[in-house]
Amino acid sequence: MMQLPQHHKPSAHSCCSSWIRRSPPPSPPHKKPGGGGRSRYACRLVPLLVLTVYSVVTVLRIPSSSLVVSPADSERVERREDLEALKTHLPSNQNSLEAREETRSVASLPCSAFISGEAGHGEGEGVLCCDRSHYRSDVCYLRGDVRTDPSTSSVLLYNAPCGSAAEKVRPYTRKFEDSIMSTIDEVTIQPVPAPYNASASASDGGTLRRRCDVRHPRGVPAVVFSTGGYTGNVYHEFSDGLIPLFVTAQRFAGEVVFVVLEYHYWWLGRYGAVLEQLTNYKVVDFRYDRRVHCFDEMIVGLRIHGELVVDPKLMPNGKSIKDFQALLHQGYSRTMASASPPVPLPLAPPSRPCPRPAKPKLLIFIRKKNRVLLNLPHVVTACRRAGFAPHVMNLRRQTPLPVIHAALASADAMVAVHGAAVTHFLFMRPGSVLLQIVPVGLDWAADAFYGKPAQQLGLEYLEYKVAPEESSLAAEYGLNSTVVRTPWVISSRGWWEMKKVYMDRQNVTVNIKRFSELLRAARTHLQNTTACVKGGATAVAALR
């Protein structure tokens, strides 16, 4: 824009010495107007004319498009401003996430994102990846045209990404134990890139492709795992099998097919009620089902969080061990309708009406071969004197799980020497008591395998630690021997050495006086966490 010169004061020699002239001072009144009056009027008009011309020129120099903005132009301007703002900065985390999602390719995503479902199902693009970062298990993910080949213990992925290499997986969750993993069937995942099967036609059933005998619905993936290894031990059946299966497959809400290696019919009979809560389809026996099963998605192997653990922070939907317990309750409960959704067990209510008190129910699980409770009759008497109604549970392999579930779901407390049977605490209501008798040398295993998981489930966990003189090892090795006094020396030699001494060759005799103190603590806990129910009605509704 043009700048106007600064005004300066007119000199005595001229009345209009500046570019915008200033009018002279008025004539004295005694002087008569004459010819000099016209020049004074002209001097006044000149600045007005100059200002008028300047204003007209300024208006003519402004483009008409800048003065009148159409709605379309306004919309274009707003869109342009938004675009520039996105280019220069992202004002929120949501915009940042959207920008990253638009630019990230399938190849840039970690394999764990596909296994957990965080990457979405996707369309068209084939995926083959394996996550071998966990010390407990290897898990592979396939997406595309997936077909089983039982004759070679293989899974074929047609139209696999270029450069994909064959992968071998033993789908069991004890990768750190070479001896047990060597007994697990190995699955070979064989990628078949597009150039090698492009000539296969649908009319001849696929010259180069295995013909589909069973084509599973689109969007229904397969999860492949093994029931070999330590299957047969109830602890490992839950910790190495069922809970990892829940962690891996529960997000599919039943729309998933289980493909099992080393399939045992007794296993299906024992845990069928649990499997029915996780899948809507029949289990496929990978070894003996000779048909070719076709899927558009498959997970080979199981994710695992730890010993009897479901970590909500690692679950895409925040599920926990309490949700797994609700699934068990749904599967094994005889009173709930099969169509009702799983619900967590309520806090342990008393099995008594008011005002008449009743003794809380306590179950004692006993062992027969090792870690035997040698003074069981005295223990039963101590439980009765502490105010409990004790029941001895002598489990056999053929004891149906629904029977065990029914007994523990109605119990207020459980007593057991460290061993696989303690796993059944998963059937107990939150707020009930687990009292574990811990033999010499098994402190760490008792806490890691059962103590911490029980607390995460909401149980009151108590430990009775066997004193050196209460262990049968004192008579065998001597009370002051290294085996009895410094168990860590034996444990440092490895799991198998520790197992051979402290798990396979030890029995216990508890001190009744010391044991009774824990029983009283358990009784006090139950009195403080439960209240009698009017009319003998259940406390479920009141405690939820």
Side-chain angles (χ1 to χ4, degrees), residues 319-354:
K319 298 291 185 180
S320 71
I321 190 65
K322 293 182 180 180
D323 296 286
F324 177 74
Q325 188 199 46
L327 181 142
L328 296 177
H329 181 62
Q330 173 72 9
Y332 290 125
S333 176
R334 295 179 176 180
T335 58
M336 297 178 62
S338 59
S340 62
V343 294
L345 291 172
L347 291 173
S351 55
R352 58 183 172 89
C354 288

PDB file of all heavy atoms in Angstrom, residues 319-354:
ATOM      1  N   LYS A 319      -9.624 -59.509  29.821  1.00  0.00           N
ATOM      2  CA  LYS A 319     -10.095 -60.666  30.577  1.00  0.00           C
ATOM      3  C   LYS A 319      -9.059 -61.085  31.621  1.00  0.00           C
ATOM      4  O   LYS A 319      -7.865 -60.839  31.470  1.00  0.00           O
ATOM      5  CB  LYS A 319     -10.388 -61.840  29.639  1.00  0.00           C
ATOM      6  CG  LYS A 319     -11.474 -61.573  28.612  1.00  0.00           C
ATOM      7  CD  LYS A 319     -12.849 -61.460  29.257  1.00  0.00           C
ATOM      8  CE  LYS A 319     -13.939 -61.315  28.210  1.00  0.00           C
ATOM      9  NZ  LYS A 319     -15.279 -61.206  28.811  1.00  0.00           N
ATOM     10  N   SER A 320      -9.522 -61.765  32.674  1.00  0.00           N
ATOM     11  CA  SER A 320      -8.642 -62.184  33.754  1.00  0.00           C
ATOM     12  C   SER A 320      -8.936 -63.630  34.141  1.00  0.00           C
ATOM     13  O   SER A 320      -9.811 -64.287  33.555  1.00  0.00           O
ATOM     14  CB  SER A 320      -8.823 -61.276  34.972  1.00  0.00           C
ATOM     15  OG  SER A 320     -10.090 -61.523  35.585  1.00  0.00           O
ATOM     16  N   ILE A 321      -8.223 -64.120  35.158  1.00  0.00           N
ATOM     17  CA  ILE A 321      -8.435 -65.489  35.628  1.00  0.00           C
ATOM     18  C   ILE A 321      -9.849 -65.661  36.181  1.00  0.00           C
ATOM     19  O   ILE A 321     -10.398 -66.769  36.161  1.00  0.00           O
ATOM     20  CB  ILE A 321      -7.374 -65.856  36.692  1.00  0.00           C
ATOM     21  CG1 ILE A 321      -7.424 -67.352  37.028  1.00  0.00           C
ATOM     22  CG2 ILE A 321      -7.542 -65.000  37.930  1.00  0.00           C
ATOM     23  CD1 ILE A 321      -7.057 -68.258  35.893  1.00  0.00           C
ATOM     24  N   LYS A 322     -10.463 -64.590  36.627  1.00  0.00           N
ATOM     25  CA  LYS A 322     -11.836 -64.677  37.117  1.00  0.00           C
ATOM     26  C   LYS A 322     -12.806 -64.989  35.979  1.00  0.00           C
ATOM     27  O   LYS A 322     -13.816 -65.670  36.184  1.00  0.00           O
ATOM     28  CB  LYS A 322     -12.226 -63.382  37.816  1.00  0.00           C
ATOM     29  CG  LYS A 322     -11.446 -63.133  39.107  1.00  0.00           C
ATOM     30  CD  LYS A 322     -11.900 -61.861  39.798  1.00  0.00           C
ATOM     31  CE  LYS A 322     -11.116 -61.641  41.088  1.00  0.00           C
ATOM     32  NZ  LYS A 322     -11.540 -60.400  41.792  1.00  0.00           N
ATOM     33  N   ASP A 323     -12.502 -64.511  34.785  1.00  0.00           N
ATOM     34  CA  ASP A 323     -13.339 -64.844  33.625  1.00  0.00           C
ATOM     35  C   ASP A 323     -13.169 -66.308  33.237  1.00  0.00           C
ATOM     36  O   ASP A 323     -14.127 -66.957  32.811  1.00  0.00           O
ATOM     37  CB  ASP A 323     -12.986 -63.929  32.450  1.00  0.00           C
ATOM     38  CG  ASP A 323     -13.302 -62.477  32.735  1.00  0.00           C
ATOM     39  OD1 ASP A 323     -14.492 -62.119  32.717  1.00  0.00           O
ATOM     40  OD2 ASP A 323     -12.368 -61.710  33.006  1.00  0.00           O
ATOM     41  N   PHE A 324     -11.948 -66.813  33.390  1.00  0.00           N
ATOM     42  CA  PHE A 324     -11.750 -68.245  33.133  1.00  0.00           C
ATOM     43  C   PHE A 324     -12.509 -69.073  34.159  1.00  0.00           C
ATOM     44  O   PHE A 324     -13.118 -70.089  33.823  1.00  0.00           O
ATOM     45  CB  PHE A 324     -10.256 -68.575  33.179  1.00  0.00           C
ATOM     46  CG  PHE A 324      -9.967 -70.045  33.003  1.00  0.00           C
ATOM     47  CD1 PHE A 324     -10.076 -70.646  31.761  1.00  0.00           C
ATOM     48  CD2 PHE A 324      -9.601 -70.831  34.093  1.00  0.00           C
ATOM     49  CE1 PHE A 324      -9.824 -72.007  31.597  1.00  0.00           C
ATOM     50  CE2 PHE A 324      -9.344 -72.190  33.941  1.00  0.00           C
ATOM     51  CZ  PHE A 324      -9.451 -72.771  32.688  1.00  0.00           C
ATOM     52  N   GLN A 325     -12.495 -68.648  35.417  1.00  0.00           N
ATOM     53  CA  GLN A 325     -13.238 -69.376  36.438  1.00  0.00           C
ATOM     54  C   GLN A 325     -14.737 -69.344  36.145  1.00  0.00           C
ATOM     55  O   GLN A 325     -15.444 -70.330  36.349  1.00  0.00           O
ATOM     56  CB  GLN A 325     -12.978 -68.787  37.821  1.00  0.00           C
ATOM     57  CG  GLN A 325     -13.583 -69.628  38.935  1.00  0.00           C
ATOM     58  CD  GLN A 325     -13.733 -68.874  40.236  1.00  0.00           C
ATOM     59  OE1 GLN A 325     -14.206 -67.747  40.255  1.00  0.00           O
ATOM     60  NE2 GLN A 325     -13.334 -69.499  41.325  1.00  0.00           N
ATOM     61  N   ALA A 326     -15.221 -68.202  35.669  1.00  0.00           N
ATOM     62  CA  ALA A 326     -16.634 -68.115  35.308  1.00  0.00           C
ATOM     63  C   ALA A 326     -16.981 -69.100  34.199  1.00  0.00           C
ATOM     64  O   ALA A 326     -18.065 -69.696  34.186  1.00  0.00           O
ATOM     65  CB  ALA A 326     -16.968 -66.683  34.864  1.00  0.00           C
ATOM     66  N   LEU A 327     -16.034 -69.296  33.275  1.00  0.00           N
ATOM     67  CA  LEU A 327     -16.244 -70.268  32.202  1.00  0.00           C
ATOM     68  C   LEU A 327     -16.311 -71.691  32.766  1.00  0.00           C
ATOM     69  O   LEU A 327     -17.146 -72.497  32.344  1.00  0.00           O
ATOM     70  CB  LEU A 327     -15.121 -70.124  31.183  1.00  0.00           C
ATOM     71  CG  LEU A 327     -15.134 -71.027  29.956  1.00  0.00           C
ATOM     72  CD1 LEU A 327     -14.659 -70.246  28.738  1.00  0.00           C
ATOM     73  CD2 LEU A 327     -14.230 -72.237  30.158  1.00  0.00           C
ATOM     74  N   LEU A 328     -15.431 -72.003  33.728  1.00  0.00           N
ATOM     75  CA  LEU A 328     -15.480 -73.309  34.380  1.00  0.00           C
ATOM     76  C   LEU A 328     -16.810 -73.511  35.095  1.00  0.00           C
ATOM     77  O   LEU A 328     -17.426 -74.577  35.027  1.00  0.00           O
ATOM     78  CB  LEU A 328     -14.337 -73.451  35.384  1.00  0.00           C
ATOM     79  CG  LEU A 328     -12.909 -73.437  34.837  1.00  0.00           C
ATOM     80  CD1 LEU A 328     -11.915 -73.510  35.994  1.00  0.00           C
ATOM     81  CD2 LEU A 328     -12.681 -74.576  33.866  1.00  0.00           C
ATOM     82  N   HIS A 329     -17.237 -72.478  35.792  1.00  0.00           N
ATOM     83  CA  HIS A 329     -18.500 -72.554  36.522  1.00  0.00           C
ATOM     84  C   HIS A 329     -19.665 -72.780  35.564  1.00  0.00           C
ATOM     85  O   HIS A 329     -20.561 -73.582  35.833  1.00  0.00           O
ATOM     86  CB  HIS A 329     -18.703 -71.267  37.310  1.00  0.00           C
ATOM     87  CG  HIS A 329     -19.964 -71.238  38.115  1.00  0.00           C
ATOM     88  ND1 HIS A 329     -20.221 -72.134  39.133  1.00  0.00           N
ATOM     89  CD2 HIS A 329     -21.047 -70.438  38.049  1.00  0.00           C
ATOM     90  CE1 HIS A 329     -21.403 -71.872  39.660  1.00  0.00           C
ATOM     91  NE2 HIS A 329     -21.923 -70.848  39.016  1.00  0.00           N
ATOM     92  N   GLN A 330     -19.619 -72.098  34.430  1.00  0.00           N
ATOM     93  CA  GLN A 330     -20.670 -72.277  33.435  1.00  0.00           C
ATOM     94  C   GLN A 330     -20.670 -73.698  32.883  1.00  0.00           C
ATOM     95  O   GLN A 330     -21.723 -74.305  32.664  1.00  0.00           O
ATOM     96  CB  GLN A 330     -20.470 -71.274  32.292  1.00  0.00           C
ATOM     97  CG  GLN A 330     -21.393 -71.462  31.090  1.00  0.00           C
ATOM     98  CD  GLN A 330     -22.812 -71.056  31.399  1.00  0.00           C
ATOM     99  OE1 GLN A 330     -23.081 -70.485  32.458  1.00  0.00           O
ATOM    100  NE2 GLN A 330     -23.717 -71.324  30.476  1.00  0.00           N
ATOM    101  N   GLY A 331     -19.474 -74.255  32.664  1.00  0.00           N
ATOM    102  CA  GLY A 331     -19.395 -75.586  32.068  1.00  0.00           C
ATOM    103  C   GLY A 331     -19.759 -76.699  33.021  1.00  0.00           C
ATOM    104  O   GLY A 331     -20.400 -77.673  32.622  1.00  0.00           O
ATOM    105  N   TYR A 332     -19.370 -76.561  34.287  1.00  0.00           N
ATOM    106  CA  TYR A 332     -19.537 -77.669  35.225  1.00  0.00           C
ATOM    107  C   TYR A 332     -20.704 -77.516  36.190  1.00  0.00           C
ATOM    108  O   TYR A 332     -21.055 -78.461  36.886  1.00  0.00           O
ATOM    109  CB  TYR A 332     -18.247 -77.872  36.032  1.00  0.00           C
ATOM    110  CG  TYR A 332     -17.107 -78.433  35.211  1.00  0.00           C
ATOM    111  CD1 TYR A 332     -15.879 -77.782  35.142  1.00  0.00           C
ATOM    112  CD2 TYR A 332     -17.256 -79.618  34.495  1.00  0.00           C
ATOM    113  CE1 TYR A 332     -14.834 -78.299  34.397  1.00  0.00           C
ATOM    114  CE2 TYR A 332     -16.225 -80.135  33.743  1.00  0.00           C
ATOM    115  CZ  TYR A 332     -15.013 -79.471  33.699  1.00  0.00           C
ATOM    116  OH  TYR A 332     -13.989 -79.987  32.946  1.00  0.00           O
ATOM    117  N   SER A 333     -21.272 -76.351  36.247  1.00  0.00           N
ATOM    118  CA  SER A 333     -22.381 -76.182  37.173  1.00  0.00           C
ATOM    119  C   SER A 333     -23.607 -76.949  36.688  1.00  0.00           C
ATOM    120  O   SER A 333     -23.979 -76.920  35.516  1.00  0.00           O
ATOM    121  CB  SER A 333     -22.725 -74.696  37.312  1.00  0.00           C
ATOM    122  OG  SER A 333     -23.865 -74.546  38.133  1.00  0.00           O
ATOM    123  N   ARG A 334     -24.259 -77.633  37.608  1.00  0.00           N
ATOM    124  CA  ARG A 334     -25.455 -78.405  37.261  1.00  0.00           C
ATOM    125  C   ARG A 334     -26.731 -77.604  37.494  1.00  0.00           C
ATOM    126  O   ARG A 334     -27.823 -78.067  37.144  1.00  0.00           O
ATOM    127  CB  ARG A 334     -25.504 -79.678  38.107  1.00  0.00           C
ATOM    128  CG  ARG A 334     -24.365 -80.639  37.830  1.00  0.00           C
ATOM    129  CD  ARG A 334     -24.455 -81.865  38.708  1.00  0.00           C
ATOM    130  NE  ARG A 334     -23.422 -82.843  38.399  1.00  0.00           N
ATOM    131  CZ  ARG A 334     -23.294 -84.001  39.020  1.00  0.00           C
ATOM    132  NH1 ARG A 334     -24.134 -84.339  39.984  1.00  0.00           N
ATOM    133  NH2 ARG A 334     -22.327 -84.839  38.680  1.00  0.00           N
ATOM    134  N   THR A 335     -26.614 -76.440  38.099  1.00  0.00           N
ATOM    135  CA  THR A 335     -27.808 -75.682  38.454  1.00  0.00           C
ATOM    136  C   THR A 335     -28.105 -74.545  37.500  1.00  0.00           C
ATOM    137  O   THR A 335     -29.246 -74.102  37.398  1.00  0.00           O
ATOM    138  CB  THR A 335     -27.666 -75.107  39.867  1.00  0.00           C
ATOM    139  OG1 THR A 335     -26.506 -74.273  39.918  1.00  0.00           O
ATOM    140  CG2 THR A 335     -27.515 -76.223  40.884  1.00  0.00           C
ATOM    141  N   MET A 336     -27.059 -74.053  36.802  1.00  0.00           N
ATOM    142  CA  MET A 336     -27.262 -72.927  35.893  1.00  0.00           C
ATOM    143  C   MET A 336     -27.725 -73.424  34.534  1.00  0.00           C
ATOM    144  O   MET A 336     -27.321 -74.488  34.070  1.00  0.00           O
ATOM    145  CB  MET A 336     -25.957 -72.120  35.747  1.00  0.00           C
ATOM    146  CG  MET A 336     -25.488 -71.479  37.037  1.00  0.00           C
ATOM    147  SD  MET A 336     -23.938 -70.588  36.818  1.00  0.00           S
ATOM    148  CE  MET A 336     -24.447 -69.357  35.623  1.00  0.00           C
ATOM    149  N   ALA A 337     -28.569 -72.660  33.905  1.00  0.00           N
ATOM    150  CA  ALA A 337     -29.032 -73.002  32.550  1.00  0.00           C
ATOM    151  C   ALA A 337     -27.863 -72.896  31.589  1.00  0.00           C
ATOM    152  O   ALA A 337     -27.039 -72.000  31.682  1.00  0.00           O
ATOM    153  CB  ALA A 337     -30.155 -72.061  32.124  1.00  0.00           C
ATOM    154  N   SER A 338     -27.800 -73.822  30.647  1.00  0.00           N
ATOM    155  CA  SER A 338     -26.665 -73.860  29.729  1.00  0.00           C
ATOM    156  C   SER A 338     -26.614 -72.641  28.831  1.00  0.00           C
ATOM    157  O   SER A 338     -25.556 -72.284  28.321  1.00  0.00           O
ATOM    158  CB  SER A 338     -26.732 -75.130  28.874  1.00  0.00           C
ATOM    159  OG  SER A 338     -27.942 -75.152  28.134  1.00  0.00           O
ATOM    160  N   ALA A 339     -27.742 -71.979  28.623  1.00  0.00           N
ATOM    161  CA  ALA A 339     -27.755 -70.824  27.725  1.00  0.00           C
ATOM    162  C   ALA A 339     -27.382 -69.527  28.418  1.00  0.00           C
ATOM    163  O   ALA A 339     -27.149 -68.519  27.768  1.00  0.00           O
ATOM    164  CB  ALA A 339     -29.147 -70.663  27.103  1.00  0.00           C
ATOM    165  N   SER A 340     -27.320 -69.529  29.744  1.00  0.00           N
ATOM    166  CA  SER A 340     -27.013 -68.285  30.451  1.00  0.00           C
ATOM    167  C   SER A 340     -25.543 -67.966  30.325  1.00  0.00           C
ATOM    168  O   SER A 340     -24.707 -68.859  30.264  1.00  0.00           O
ATOM    169  CB  SER A 340     -27.392 -68.404  31.932  1.00  0.00           C
ATOM    170  OG  SER A 340     -26.638 -69.437  32.539  1.00  0.00           O
ATOM    171  N   PRO A 341     -25.181 -66.673  30.284  1.00  0.00           N
ATOM    172  CA  PRO A 341     -23.781 -66.296  30.110  1.00  0.00           C
ATOM    173  C   PRO A 341     -22.975 -66.602  31.359  1.00  0.00           C
ATOM    174  O   PRO A 341     -23.517 -66.660  32.457  1.00  0.00           O
ATOM    175  CB  PRO A 341     -23.861 -64.782  29.859  1.00  0.00           C
ATOM    176  CG  PRO A 341     -25.114 -64.359  30.538  1.00  0.00           C
ATOM    177  CD  PRO A 341     -26.065 -65.512  30.382  1.00  0.00           C
ATOM    178  N   PRO A 342     -21.655 -66.815  31.205  1.00  0.00           N
ATOM    179  CA  PRO A 342     -20.819 -67.064  32.379  1.00  0.00           C
ATOM    180  C   PRO A 342     -20.830 -65.866  33.317  1.00  0.00           C
ATOM    181  O   PRO A 342     -20.755 -64.721  32.881  1.00  0.00           O
ATOM    182  CB  PRO A 342     -19.422 -67.276  31.775  1.00  0.00           C
ATOM    183  CG  PRO A 342     -19.659 -67.598  30.342  1.00  0.00           C
ATOM    184  CD  PRO A 342     -20.911 -66.881  29.954  1.00  0.00           C
ATOM    185  N   VAL A 343     -20.933 -66.130  34.605  1.00  0.00           N
ATOM    186  CA  VAL A 343     -20.890 -65.062  35.606  1.00  0.00           C
ATOM    187  C   VAL A 343     -19.890 -65.463  36.678  1.00  0.00           C
ATOM    188  O   VAL A 343     -19.740 -66.635  36.994  1.00  0.00           O
ATOM    189  CB  VAL A 343     -22.269 -64.830  36.258  1.00  0.00           C
ATOM    190  CG1 VAL A 343     -23.247 -64.298  35.254  1.00  0.00           C
ATOM    191  CG2 VAL A 343     -22.808 -66.110  36.887  1.00  0.00           C
ATOM    192  N   PRO A 344     -19.144 -64.488  37.230  1.00  0.00           N
ATOM    193  CA  PRO A 344     -18.192 -64.820  38.285  1.00  0.00           C
ATOM    194  C   PRO A 344     -18.903 -65.387  39.503  1.00  0.00           C
ATOM    195  O   PRO A 344     -20.042 -65.018  39.806  1.00  0.00           O
ATOM    196  CB  PRO A 344     -17.537 -63.463  38.599  1.00  0.00           C
ATOM    197  CG  PRO A 344     -17.806 -62.617  37.390  1.00  0.00           C
ATOM    198  CD  PRO A 344     -19.116 -63.080  36.850  1.00  0.00           C
ATOM    199  N   LEU A 345     -18.223 -66.305  40.207  1.00  0.00           N
ATOM    200  CA  LEU A 345     -18.788 -66.842  41.440  1.00  0.00           C
ATOM    201  C   LEU A 345     -18.840 -65.744  42.491  1.00  0.00           C
ATOM    202  O   LEU A 345     -17.934 -64.931  42.587  1.00  0.00           O
ATOM    203  CB  LEU A 345     -17.930 -67.996  41.946  1.00  0.00           C
ATOM    204  CG  LEU A 345     -17.965 -69.275  41.100  1.00  0.00           C
ATOM    205  CD1 LEU A 345     -16.919 -70.241  41.616  1.00  0.00           C
ATOM    206  CD2 LEU A 345     -19.325 -69.920  41.150  1.00  0.00           C
ATOM    207  N   PRO A 346     -19.894 -65.697  43.298  1.00  0.00           N
ATOM    208  CA  PRO A 346     -19.977 -64.668  44.332  1.00  0.00           C
ATOM    209  C   PRO A 346     -19.028 -64.968  45.476  1.00  0.00           C
ATOM    210  O   PRO A 346     -18.439 -66.049  45.556  1.00  0.00           O
ATOM    211  CB  PRO A 346     -21.439 -64.760  44.789  1.00  0.00           C
ATOM    212  CG  PRO A 346     -21.794 -66.193  44.560  1.00  0.00           C
ATOM    213  CD  PRO A 346     -21.050 -66.590  43.291  1.00  0.00           C
ATOM    214  N   LEU A 347     -18.882 -63.999  46.373  1.00  0.00           N
ATOM    215  CA  LEU A 347     -18.124 -64.240  47.588  1.00  0.00           C
ATOM    216  C   LEU A 347     -18.750 -65.397  48.354  1.00  0.00           C
ATOM    217  O   LEU A 347     -19.955 -65.607  48.321  1.00  0.00           O
ATOM    218  CB  LEU A 347     -18.102 -62.986  48.461  1.00  0.00           C
ATOM    219  CG  LEU A 347     -17.294 -61.804  47.916  1.00  0.00           C
ATOM    220  CD1 LEU A 347     -17.518 -60.591  48.792  1.00  0.00           C
ATOM    221  CD2 LEU A 347     -15.822 -62.149  47.858  1.00  0.00           C
ATOM    222  N   ALA A 348     -17.904 -66.123  49.080  1.00  0.00           N
ATOM    223  CA  ALA A 348     -18.360 -67.347  49.722  1.00  0.00           C
ATOM    224  C   ALA A 348     -19.464 -67.072  50.732  1.00  0.00           C
ATOM    225  O   ALA A 348     -19.221 -66.469  51.775  1.00  0.00           O
ATOM    226  CB  ALA A 348     -17.178 -68.014  50.428  1.00  0.00           C
ATOM    227  N   PRO A 349     -20.713 -67.475  50.443  1.00  0.00           N
ATOM    228  CA  PRO A 349     -21.789 -67.289  51.408  1.00  0.00           C
ATOM    229  C   PRO A 349     -21.861 -68.482  52.355  1.00  0.00           C
ATOM    230  O   PRO A 349     -21.433 -69.574  52.004  1.00  0.00           O
ATOM    231  CB  PRO A 349     -23.036 -67.219  50.534  1.00  0.00           C
ATOM    232  CG  PRO A 349     -22.699 -68.097  49.379  1.00  0.00           C
ATOM    233  CD  PRO A 349     -21.200 -68.009  49.171  1.00  0.00           C
ATOM    234  N   PRO A 350     -22.358 -68.307  53.539  1.00  0.00           N
ATOM    235  CA  PRO A 350     -22.516 -69.439  54.439  1.00  0.00           C
ATOM    236  C   PRO A 350     -23.660 -70.316  53.986  1.00  0.00           C
ATOM    237  O   PRO A 350     -24.595 -69.861  53.349  1.00  0.00           O
ATOM    238  CB  PRO A 350     -22.820 -68.779  55.782  1.00  0.00           C
ATOM    239  CG  PRO A 350     -23.505 -67.499  55.399  1.00  0.00           C
ATOM    240  CD  PRO A 350     -22.859 -67.052  54.117  1.00  0.00           C
ATOM    241  N   SER A 351     -23.565 -71.595  54.308  1.00  0.00           N
ATOM    242  CA  SER A 351     -24.631 -72.538  53.956  1.00  0.00           C
ATOM    243  C   SER A 351     -25.547 -72.715  55.173  1.00  0.00           C
ATOM    244  O   SER A 351     -25.808 -73.835  55.603  1.00  0.00           O
ATOM    245  CB  SER A 351     -24.019 -73.875  53.545  1.00  0.00           C
ATOM    246  OG  SER A 351     -23.165 -74.347  54.578  1.00  0.00           O
ATOM    247  N   ARG A 352     -25.990 -71.627  55.766  1.00  0.00           N
ATOM    248  CA  ARG A 352     -26.788 -71.710  56.984  1.00  0.00           C
ATOM    249  C   ARG A 352     -27.847 -70.622  57.000  1.00  0.00           C
ATOM    250  O   ARG A 352     -27.624 -69.516  56.509  1.00  0.00           O
ATOM    251  CB  ARG A 352     -25.887 -71.563  58.216  1.00  0.00           C
ATOM    252  CG  ARG A 352     -25.099 -70.252  58.252  1.00  0.00           C
ATOM    253  CD  ARG A 352     -24.168 -70.224  59.464  1.00  0.00           C
ATOM    254  NE  ARG A 352     -23.268 -69.073  59.423  1.00  0.00           N
ATOM    255  CZ  ARG A 352     -23.568 -67.897  59.944  1.00  0.00           C
ATOM    256  NH1 ARG A 352     -24.737 -67.688  60.501  1.00  0.00           N
ATOM    257  NH2 ARG A 352     -22.704 -66.905  59.882  1.00  0.00           N
ATOM    258  N   PRO A 353     -28.995 -70.895  57.569  1.00  0.00           N
ATOM    259  CA  PRO A 353     -29.988 -69.853  57.771  1.00  0.00           C
ATOM    260  C   PRO A 353     -29.721 -69.114  59.081  1.00  0.00           C
ATOM    261  O   PRO A 353     -28.956 -69.562  59.920  1.00  0.00           O
ATOM    262  CB  PRO A 353     -31.304 -70.636  57.851  1.00  0.00           C
ATOM    263  CG  PRO A 353     -30.885 -71.958  58.438  1.00  0.00           C
ATOM    264  CD  PRO A 353     -29.495 -72.227  57.913  1.00  0.00           C
ATOM    265  N   CYS A 354     -30.324 -67.963  59.246  1.00  0.00           N
ATOM    266  CA  CYS A 354     -30.226 -67.230  60.510  1.00  0.00           C
ATOM    267  C   CYS A 354     -31.346 -67.699  61.433  1.00  0.00           C
ATOM    268  O   CYS A 354     -32.407 -68.073  60.961  1.00  0.00           O
ATOM    269  CB  CYS A 354     -30.371 -65.728  60.257  1.00  0.00           C
ATOM    270  SG  CYS A 354     -28.948 -65.001  59.447  1.00  0.00           S
TER     271      CYS A 354
END
